């Protein structure tokens, strides 16, 4: 079958590590099923994998991709949960399993014609969404849902700051947060992305690092080093930073420890979500009639162009892939 996979790893030139070509069809192990992929989506995770972050050479070749809508023979189109438990008998929150992984880390990913997943690791695709729109719920939207509604300790009427506007997680945070009655402020590095953030529901937009008119209740961080000091400064005393990523690096010039203890800030890490949260997300997207912002969609054969677009940082919303 056709697949986009990491054939090698390259920290400096991740696209040189990518191959798009034939791979063997997946075989289901006990308790897993093989499903045809209807649509997949890209995440920054796919670039990290090609760079060798979270993926080592002994696991190559590895099919990339965490997001997918797959065709289930009885249930129809389902959105896959890409989190896989690694501890036998683990019954707690799957994201807290120390041996958990995402599809494309230990098990082959979704950028292929077929994928194998643990039985039941899915929810029905919301009926009003296209397959690509449904696929992007798997990772970026699930992460944004948990950041906002479990970890940020905010409620309707509160003000949150989203660092970055165009990314998959950032656009999901803007759409979900504004639909839930939060006042969403957004920083972005260019004017086009600031305008798009307003279209997606942001109440106000700001340049990167710009001083805000007031302190916010929570900051949603996925950028890391480039925005860390701004995030700490943006919070009211007792506010919360929820961090899910560090696209610009994880070593900020200042850790801001003094401000963190003096303002009694909470810094909360957030990773993916559970099957229950994916089901809640799908219900919320349905009742609020949300449609995830899609930047562009590429056929699987053009996965290289799709990943190059993600690496360029020019995107607004998610990139879809159709096999
Ligand atoms: N913990 C988890 O479970 C989880 C889940 C999903 C993603 N993540 C992580 O979260 C991060 C975002 O993922 P994604 O898929 O949304 O990536 P993406 O679509 O490539 O988005 C990148 C985002 O980073 C911003 N950005 C990048 N470099 C920047 C810089 N130097 N200064 C300011 N902003 C910068 C961009 O802001 P502009 O709009 O201003 O360009 C954009 O919003 C990644 O690091 C990813 O690994 C973690």
């Amino acid at each position: 079958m056709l697949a986009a996979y990491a054939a090698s790893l390259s920290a400096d030139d991740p696209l040189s590590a990518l191959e798009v070509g034939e791979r063997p069809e997946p075989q289901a192990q006990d308790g897993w099923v093989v499903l045809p992929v209807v649509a997949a989506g890209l995440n920054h995770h796919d670039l990290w994998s090609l760079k060798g972050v979270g993926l080592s050479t002994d696991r190559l070749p590895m099919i990339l991709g965490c997001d997918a809508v797959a065709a289930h023979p009885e249930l129809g189109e389902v959105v896959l949960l890409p989190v896989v438990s690694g501890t036998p008998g683990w019954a707690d929150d799957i994201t807290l399993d120390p041996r958990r992984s995402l599809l494309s880390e230990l098990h082959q990913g979704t950028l292929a014609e077929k994928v194998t997943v643990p039985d039941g690791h899915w929810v029905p695709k919301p009926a009003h969404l296209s397959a690509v729109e449904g696929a992007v719920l798997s990772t970026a939207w699930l992460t944004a849902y948990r950041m906002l509604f479990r970890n940020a300790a905010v409620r309707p009427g509160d003000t949150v700051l989203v660092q970055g506007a165009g990314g998959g997680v950032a656009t999901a945070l803007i759409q979900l947060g504004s639909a839930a009655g939060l006042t969403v402020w957004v920083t972005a590095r260019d004017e086009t992305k600031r305008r798009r953030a307003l279209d997606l529901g942001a109440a106000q937009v700001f340049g990167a690092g710009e001083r805000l008119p007031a302190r916010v209740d929570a900051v949603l961080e996925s950028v890391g080093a480039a925005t860390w000091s701004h995030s700490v400064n943006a919070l009211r005393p007792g506010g919360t930073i929820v961090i899910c990523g560090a696209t610009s690096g994880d070593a900020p010039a200042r850790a801001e420890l003094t401000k963190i203890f003096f303002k009694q800030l909470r810094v909360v890490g957030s990773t993916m979500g559970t099957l229950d949260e994916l089901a809640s997300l799908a219900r919320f997207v349905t009742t609020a009639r949300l449609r995830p912002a899609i930047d562009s969609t590429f056929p699987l054969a053009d996965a290289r162009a799709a990943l190059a677009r993600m690496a360029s940082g020019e995107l607004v919303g998610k990139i879809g892939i159709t096999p």
Side-chain angles (χ1 to χ4, degrees):
M1 65 173 183
L2 186 64
Y5 60 96
S8 59
L9 304 172
S10 171
D12 300 326
D13 182 11
L15 288 178
S16 69
L18 174 75
E19 293 284 345
V20 181
E22 289 297 311
R23 293 295 306 147
E25 290 200 359
Q27 305 295 316
Q29 48 179 302
D30 246 12
W32 290 53
V33 292
V34 175
L35 297 173
V37 175
V38 182
L42 291 191
N43 290 285
H44 213 92
H45 184 274
D46 303 310
L47 284 175
W48 291 127
S49 298
L50 291 167
K51 289 181 178 183
V53 178
L55 186 61
S56 47
T57 44
D58 56 308
R59 292 187 227 138
L60 301 178
M62 176 60 77
I63 299 174
L64 301 171
C66 300
D67 293 356
V69 158
H72 189 283
E74 281 112 44
L75 304 173
E77 292 187 343
V78 290
V79 179
L80 301 187
L81 176 75
V83 192
V84 181
S85 180
T87 303
W90 185 267
D92 199 354
D93 179 335
I94 194 170
T95 68
L96 297 177
D97 177 355
R99 297 181 67 195
R100 73 173 187 277
S101 64
L102 298 186
L103 292 179
S104 79
E105 291 177 351
L106 280 178
H107 308 281
Q108 302 290 324
T110 59
L111 299 188
E113 293 174 76
K114 291 187 178 172
V115 66
T116 176
V117 287
D119 200 357
H121 268 223
W122 51 66
V123 300
K125 177 182 74 62
H128 71 292
L129 299 185
S130 70
V132 164
E133 289 167 338
V136 308
L137 301 184
S138 292
T139 301
W141 276 65
L142 177 61
T143 301
Y145 184 89
R146 186 181 179 98
M147 290 174 80
L148 280 167
F149 305 127
R150 176 190 164 119
N151 288 330
V154 288
R155 54 189 179 187
D158 286 351
T159 300
V160 299
L161 176 68
V162 176
Q163 295 284 18
V169 174
T171 48
L173 288 165
I174 298 166
Q175 291 187 262
L176 286 168
S178 57
L182 296 166
T183 298
V184 181
W185 291 356
V186 179
T187 65
R189 293 176 293 174
D190 73 61
E191 183 53 33
T192 312
K193 289 181 181 172
R194 284 193 284 277
R195 274 202 304 274
R196 284 289 286 131
L198 290 170
D199 295 343
L200 292 175
Q204 287 192 64
V205 288
F206 304 90
E210 192 177 327
R211 192 182 173 86
L212 305 179
R215 298 282 165 85
V216 301
D217 299 296
V219 178
L220 292 320
E221 242 309 342
S222 68
V223 178
T227 49
W228 185 251
S229 289
H230 187 252
S231 294
V232 172
N233 289 325
L235 277 175
R236 65 161 169 79
T240 304
I241 299 181
V242 185
I243 176 165
C244 80
T247 309
S248 63
D250 64 0
R254 294 177 64 91
E256 305 292 5
L257 300 181
T258 304
K259 286 175 184 163
I260 288 172
F261 74 69
F262 192 70
K263 293 208 291 178
Q264 301 190 68
L265 306 181
R266 295 191 323 132
V267 177
V268 182
S270 199
T271 287
M272 297 296 289
T274 62
L275 188 61
D276 275 354
E277 285 166 328
L278 184 61
S280 299
L281 165 64
R283 283 194 296 273
F284 182 39
V285 162
T286 301
T287 52
R289 303 300 285 179
L290 286 173
R291 301 188 80 110
I294 303 298
D295 173 83
S296 44
T297 300
F298 293 78
L300 179 57
D302 293 342
R304 181 176 300 280
L307 279 154
R309 177 149 181 83
M310 167 149 280
S312 77
E314 280 163 18
L315 74 175
V316 177
K318 297 290 298 172
I319 296 179
I321 300 284
T322 47

